[in-house]
Amino acid sequence: MEPIFTPEQLAEIKAYHLPLYIRSAVSPFIYLGVLALILGVLVRPFYRWSESWAAWLSQRLAFLRTAPVSRAFVKAMDRLWGEPGWGAAIFFALLVNLFIDLVHVPATIYFDYVLEHRYGMSAYTPLRFALDELKGITLQGFATLALVLGLYGLARRVKRWWLVLGIPSALLLLVSSALDPYRSQVYFEQTPLEQGPVRERITSLMAQANIPFQDVRVEKTSVASKRIQAYFAGQGPTRTIVLNDVILQELAPEELLAAVAHEAGHVHEAKWPGRIASSVALVALLFVIDRLLRLSATRGWFGTTRTADIRTLPLLWLLSFSVFFLSSPLSAAFSREREREADRYALQLTQDPDAFRRMLVKAARVNKMDPDPPRWVVLKGHSHPPISERLAAIPPTPEKRAPAGGSPFLTEPSH
């Protein structure tokens, strides 16, 4: 069998991945160090600054408390927070998030822009890269505000807030994947796949797999990345097959069908047990947060004087990081097994191991996948098995036997 990479290609891939492996090993400790700095040194000055900024802004915009429309908003915010002071809470939360983002700016620029360009994996212009990063920071800011006003506001006023917030949030988590087709369009433009043989073959394959879908769309990621990508977004009436424009350029039709068949394998996974477990875990996490908020108020950590004081926000970041870091190896192990099952499903659906093998090899070459990453990297959180393992699991193609009497293409020439 032809090797996946030439020695030169393999050396380049190893050089590309080495900084990423170092980042994977070091970044958790950097994040913990940043949180330790905030918790140990910066909480009190950040909170003082936030109170000062909120007071200054409140004086300058005092007319908003009496204006016809804005006064209703201000009263609603006071009621949500339980008392005045939500402005300082918002400033504090945004200041903490901004500080964490600024600490990681050098690493973000190097790993997501410089390194990707150095090895030909990125098509980002400096402007588009900056705009996308700014877009991500803005979305994160809105999510933080929702957390502050929702979780902290509720926790200040309702004793069993973790149930009041947790149960509807868990139910929303169960069906949130229905919104995936719309979330994926925040960064990249999508257009329907044009009518033609490729679309017809995908439609026929999905009929064979008994998978209804809404549309096949092309996501124009080539403006930022040169990687191959395909995925299913949404569920039920919103299920959409998404192919990026790079995969359409790089793969032959049979190889493209193999990729779609692999993603179809994920549709038939038993997702509900995982979703239910995630929802239960969310409620449990909120309960632990409630205990942590009460403990911090009792002990007076960071100068807190009551339950759900915004100064405990970095503690929640530390708790969340610990939970996800410790659970990542287990969730990644389940993910790798799901990928193996999806590979087996695709091979059974297409009955074309050669096309599936070619698809994986091309994906490995285009995406510069390390065929044999360090074992600790895989165990720490790889969502997919190494590409060498996936290729080794493909059964050999049965050899075609020559018809009786021999074949001019298989017999040796006479001398």
Side-chain angles (χ1 to χ4, degrees):
M1 185 185 302
E2 180 186 3
I4 307 176
F5 304 110
T6 66
E8 294 77 13
Q9 289 172 331
L10 186 58
E12 181 185 37
I13 285 172
K14 293 293 184 182
Y16 167 61
H17 281 274
L18 179 59
L20 299 176
Y21 295 152
I22 295 174
R23 181 192 197 184
S24 179
V26 172
S27 61
F29 299 101
I30 294 177
Y31 189 75
L32 285 175
V34 172
L35 288 179
L37 176 63
I38 294 172
L39 290 168
V41 179
L42 298 177
V43 164
R44 293 177 187 272
F46 277 6
Y47 190 68
R48 286 198 304 270
W49 299 342
S50 300
E51 284 187 314
S52 299
W53 296 341
W56 178 86
L57 197 61
S58 179
Q59 291 177 355
R60 297 296 185 276
L61 302 179
F63 67 92
L64 294 179
R65 287 191 171 273
T66 57
V69 177
S70 58
R71 67 182 179 185
F73 171 77
V74 173
K75 286 182 179 179
M77 293 297 291
D78 288 343
R79 191 176 300 114
L80 177 64
W81 191 247
E83 60 187 10
W86 49 269
I90 289 176
F91 275 122
F92 180 82
L94 294 178
L95 188 56
V96 169
N97 269 19
L98 181 61
F99 179 78
I100 294 174
D101 288 336
L102 289 177
V103 169
H104 286 88
V105 161
T108 299
I109 293 174
Y110 174 75
F111 286 103
D112 296 346
Y113 186 84
V114 176
L115 186 68
E116 295 293 295
H117 273 275
R118 180 179 299 168
Y119 289 94
M121 298 303 296
S122 176
Y124 263 126
T125 64
L127 179 59
R128 185 178 179 92
F129 177 78
L131 289 176
D132 276 2
E133 288 298 316
L134 183 61
K135 190 183 299 183
I137 292 173
T138 302
L139 292 174
Q140 182 183 348
F142 279 114
T144 300
L145 293 182
L147 171 70
V148 169
L149 298 175
L151 188 153
Y152 276 88
L154 198 60
R156 294 164 70 88
R157 296 181 293 108
V158 180
K159 185 175 181 180
R160 289 185 174 83
W161 65 270
W162 54 275
L163 275 177
V164 175
L165 179 63
I167 292 176
S169 297
L171 294 175
L172 181 62
L173 185 64
L174 291 174
V175 297
S176 62
S177 60
L179 300 176
D180 287 345
Y182 312 105
R183 287 199 296 258
S184 61
Q185 297 179 43
V186 172
Y187 288 93
F188 300 109
E189 179 187 355
Q190 290 185 3
T191 57
L193 178 66
E194 62 182 13
Q195 298 294 331
V198 172
R199 189 182 185 100
E200 292 172 2
R201 293 183 68 175
I202 291 175
T203 302
S204 175
L205 186 70
M206 292 302 97
Q208 182 182 343
N210 194 28
I211 297 177
F213 64 96
Q214 180 190 59
D215 198 5
V216 184
R217 301 185 68 83
V218 180
E219 191 170 60
K220 299 181 180 179
T221 64
S222 60
V223 297
S225 172
K226 298 182 180 180
R227 286 180 172 83
I228 284 175
Q229 188 178 26
Y231 61 94
F232 280 38
Q235 61 184 18
T238 68
R239 181 177 294 123
T240 305
I241 303 171
V242 182
L243 311 170
N244 74 343
D245 50 354
V246 181
I247 200 172
L248 293 172
Q249 297 167 6
E250 296 289 343
L251 299 190
E254 292 78 11
E255 299 157 0
L256 184 63
L257 287 179
V260 173
H262 169 88
E263 298 304 323
H266 292 304
V267 175
H268 288 295
E269 292 171 355
K271 293 185 175 65
W272 284 108
R275 290 174 181 171
I276 293 173
S278 298
S279 299
V280 172
L282 174 62
V283 176
L285 178 62
L286 292 176
F287 175 76
V288 174
I289 289 174
D290 177 69
R291 299 297 99 181
L292 185 61
L293 294 178
R294 294 181 184 277
L295 179 62
S296 64
T298 302
R299 300 290 179 85
W301 292 342
F302 320 116
T304 56
T305 56
R306 59 161 299 164
T307 301
D309 191 301
I310 192 60
R311 283 169 283 190
T312 60
L313 181 64
L315 271 181
L316 302 196
W317 288 167
L318 178 60
L319 174 63
S320 300
F321 169 79
S322 301
V323 169
F324 288 113
F325 180 76
L326 294 175
S327 63
S328 179
L330 182 61
S331 62
F334 281 114
S335 176
R336 290 193 297 274
E337 185 54 37
R338 290 194 297 269
E339 295 299 331
R340 296 184 187 101
E341 287 293 335
D343 282 353
R344 289 189 280 267
Y345 178 87
L347 288 166
Q348 183 178 4
L349 180 63
T350 62
Q351 294 293 309
D352 193 348
D354 279 344
F356 193 80
R357 183 180 294 106
R358 293 195 307 271
M359 180 272 294
L360 288 181
V361 169
K362 284 187 178 181
R365 290 171 177 170
V366 174
N367 292 0
K368 286 186 166 57
M369 300 178 187
D370 187 346
D372 294 298
R375 190 61 183 166
W376 69 267
V377 173
V378 176
L379 295 177
K380 179 177 178 288
H382 261 205
S383 60
H384 289 62
I387 194 69
S388 58
E389 178 185 324
R390 296 176 69 184
L391 287 168
I394 300 175
T397 304
E399 295 183 2
K400 296 181 180 180
R401 295 186 177 181
S407 165
F409 299 101
L410 298 176
T411 55
E412 294 183 355
S414 57
H415 296 283

